[in-house]
Amino acid sequence: MNIKKAGYKKKIIQLCKAAGTYADYFEMAYDDVAYLLEVRDKARAQFIASGEKPVVIQTNTKGAKNLVENPALTSINKLSGTILTYYEKLGLTPKGLKSLGESIQKEEDNSFEKMLADLGI
């Protein structure tokens, strides 16, 4: 694992611990998000190197020139959406944290109800 990816993973774990959503069994998800963040950084570097132009001229196979969205910008947008989805699932957004909190609460309620039923109460 390279230094940048390791740094992202460490930060994600810190955020999850602060949110109360950290679990060892999410290690693969932490690795995946760290990788996506690293790839997004590379796409951003390409976007900056291209002059941060939102559209570029592209020549198709027939020689016609067309304005298209900068491929680096397209990549950044797609990666950002995927990263946001991971963040929600890991409880690192308000919506995701609320959802996880409700799931945990339901599990705890079911466990308590089950315990009472087992005791015959």
Side-chain angles (χ1 to χ4, degrees), residues 6-110:
Y8 278 133
K9 183 176 178 180
K10 182 179 177 182
K11 183 66 176 174
I12 293 162
I13 290 171
Q14 288 173 345
L15 291 170
C16 286
K17 286 180 178 179
T21 61
Y22 174 79
D24 289 338
Y25 52 84
F26 288 145
E27 283 294 316
M28 284 180 55
Y30 305 144
D31 284 334
D32 289 347
V33 177
Y35 173 75
L36 291 170
L37 288 165
E38 181 183 20
V39 173
R40 188 188 63 186
D41 282 352
K42 290 177 183 175
R44 279 185 177 163
Q46 289 177 347
F47 181 64
I48 291 167
S50 73
E52 297 182 78
K53 297 173 187 166
V55 292
V56 293
I57 297 173
Q58 188 177 57
T59 306
N60 67 18
T61 56
K62 295 182 181 180
K65 296 183 185 236
N66 302 302
L67 279 177
V68 297
E69 184 175 11
N70 188 324
L73 183 58
T74 302
S75 294
I76 292 166
N77 290 335
K78 286 181 181 180
L79 288 163
S80 294
T82 304
I83 291 164
L84 181 60
T85 299
Y86 269 97
Y87 282 172
E88 283 184 14
K89 300 294 183 189
L90 293 172
L92 297 178
T93 65
K95 178 183 174 184
L97 186 57
K98 181 180 178 191
S99 176
L100 281 177
E102 289 171 358
S103 296
I104 292 168
Q105 183 63 38
K106 285 179 184 175
E107 288 176 18
E108 289 173 357
D109 289 347
N110 289 338

